């Protein structure tokens, strides 16, 4: 256990479904992140929240909608996804979002398959 | 532009030494990270270098040359459990991480 817990670990959904990914951190960190990891590709940063304010949104399609109700929880709401959205979605947290030596602690990821 | 290059896959023998290279082009460079990711698990932090030189942590060492835009991760006395992907990431002037695609390391008996 890293201190960052993601649920569900695996999710299969149709293109018309609506689902959510959940992330919870027990480290007292102030920043939380969503990353997309596809095979043999670099990690893609999707969203960053610092002190519950969204500070980064890297041109992510609107079918992905983040929510950060408090500094310990982060959600990624999914709707009308495409097959190319199938990937491992990683949540991470860090002490803060804007300093050097900003070490990320990752969750084990949610493996998403879109049919 | 900003870019990170590292080999896609490497193979090494148990008990041996392996060096995983990473080259980067990053504006406003603020340091270089290495993470380890076992299959199906979370990436975990290994090292952070911001100054030139070698930093050693047990069997793992990380080297940085800022003038050459180059880093390597050195793993000694390889064990089967070291089979994993190793992710290189540089930090830019906005403290954003630019990630490489990862190097899959296969350890053979």
């Amino acid at each position: 256990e890293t201190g960052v817990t993601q649920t569900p670990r695996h999710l299969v959904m149709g293109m018309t479904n609506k689902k959510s990914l959940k992330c919870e951190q027990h480290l007292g960190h102030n920043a939380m992140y969503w990353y997309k990891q596809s095979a043999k590709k670099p990690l893609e940063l999707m969203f960053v929240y610092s002190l519950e304010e969204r500070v980064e949104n890297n041109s992510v399609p609107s079918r992905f909608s983040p929510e950060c109700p408090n500094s310990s929880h982060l959600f990624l709401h999914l709707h009308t996804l495409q097959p190319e959205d199938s990937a491992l979605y990683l949540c991470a947290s860090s002490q803060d979002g804007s300093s050097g030596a900003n070490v990320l602690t990752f969750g084990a990821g949610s493996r998403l398959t879109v049919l | 532009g900003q870019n990170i290059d590292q080999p896609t896959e490497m193979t090494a023998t148990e008990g041996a030494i392996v060096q995983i290279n990473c080259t980067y082009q990053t504006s406003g460079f603020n340091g270089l990270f290495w993470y380890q990711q076992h299959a199906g698990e979370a990436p975990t932090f290994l090292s952070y270098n911001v100054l030139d030189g070698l930093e050693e942590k047990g069997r793992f060492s990380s080297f940085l040359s800022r003038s050459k835009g180059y880093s390597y991760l050195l793993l000694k006395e390889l064990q089967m459990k070291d089979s994993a992907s190793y992710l290189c990431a540089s930090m830019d002037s906005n403290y954003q991480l630019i990630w490489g695609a990862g190097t899959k390391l296969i350890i053979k008996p």
Side-chain angles (χ1 to χ4, degrees), chain B residues 12-106:
Chain B
T13 304
E14 190 177 15
I17 298 174
V18 71
Q19 177 175 309
I20 303 174
N21 296 324
C22 172
T23 57
Y24 64 88
Q25 293 177 310
T26 305
S27 57
F29 177 76
N30 258 320
L32 193 292
F33 293 81
W34 285 97
Y35 283 78
Q36 179 191 58
Q37 185 179 23
H38 287 101
E41 297 184 14
T44 55
F45 170 75
L46 288 178
S47 67
Y48 170 69
N49 294 65
V50 67
L51 301 176
D52 285 354
L54 185 69
E55 297 213 1
E56 299 184 62
K57 281 187 185 179
R59 295 189 299 114
F60 290 14
S61 302
S62 56
F63 172 83
L64 178 68
S65 168
R66 295 176 66 124
S67 62
K68 295 182 179 178
Y70 168 68
S71 172
Y72 67 72
L73 184 68
L74 189 72
L75 291 73
K76 301 177 183 177
E77 301 170 16
L78 286 170
Q79 302 176 9
M80 297 304 293
K81 67 178 182 180
D82 297 330
S83 292
S85 288
Y86 292 85
L87 311 179
C88 172
S90 66
M91 179 173 278
D92 68 13
S93 56
N94 295 318
Y95 303 107
Q96 298 299 306
L97 290 174
I98 299 102
W99 293 85
T103 299
K104 182 178 180 180
L105 178 63
I106 300 167

Side-chain angles (χ1 to χ4, degrees), chain A residues 2 9 35 37 40-43 45 56 88 90 98-104 106-108, chain B residues 8 30 33 35 37 40-45 48 87 91 94-97 99-102:
Chain A
T2 63
R9 291 295 310 276
Y35 278 94
Q37 187 174 37
K40 298 185 180 180
K41 289 187 177 180
L43 289 178
L45 179 63
E56 190 75 35
L88 182 68
L90 290 167
S98 59
S99 67
N102 189 33
V103 176
L104 299 178
F106 286 89
Chain B
T8 302
N30 258 320
F33 293 81
Y35 283 78
Q37 185 179 23
E41 297 184 14
T44 55
F45 170 75
Y48 170 69
L87 311 179
M91 179 173 278
N94 295 318
Y95 303 107
Q96 298 299 306
L97 290 174
W99 293 85

Side-chain angles (χ1 to χ4, degrees), chain A residues 78-100:
Chain A
L78 317 169
H79 63 98
T80 58
L81 294 190
Q82 304 298 310
E84 60 264 30
D85 297 323
S86 298
L88 182 68
Y89 288 85
L90 290 167
C91 174
S93 68
S94 67
Q95 187 59 51
D96 61 54
S98 59
S99 67

Side-chain angles (χ1 to χ4, degrees), chain A residues 2-101:
Chain A
T2 63
V4 178
T5 304
Q6 291 187 241
T7 55
R9 291 295 310 276
H10 299 274
L11 179 63
V12 179
M13 59 187 290
M15 289 191 284
T16 58
N17 291 160
K18 289 185 179 181
K19 297 285 184 183
S20 296
L21 306 181
K22 179 183 176 182
C23 177
E24 184 174 359
Q25 58 101 356
H26 307 279
L27 302 169
H29 286 169
N30 293 318
M32 295 187 76
Y33 309 75
W34 280 116
Y35 278 94
K36 178 183 180 181
Q37 187 174 37
S38 302
K40 298 185 180 180
K41 289 187 177 180
L43 289 178
E44 297 175 45
L45 179 63
M46 301 176 72
F47 302 103
V48 181
Y49 279 81
S50 181
L51 296 173
E52 300 156 46
E53 296 286 327
R54 188 191 305 182
V55 296
E56 190 75 35
N57 177 354
N58 281 356
S59 302
V60 178
S62 60
R63 56 186 184 268
F64 295 92
S65 175
E67 178 188 0
C68 187
N70 55 62
S71 59
S72 298
H73 294 86
L74 186 65
F75 294 89
L76 188 63
H77 302 300
L78 317 169
H79 63 98
T80 58
L81 294 190
Q82 304 298 310
E84 60 264 30
D85 297 323
S86 298
L88 182 68
Y89 288 85
L90 290 167
C91 174
S93 68
S94 67
Q95 187 59 51
D96 61 54
S98 59
S99 67

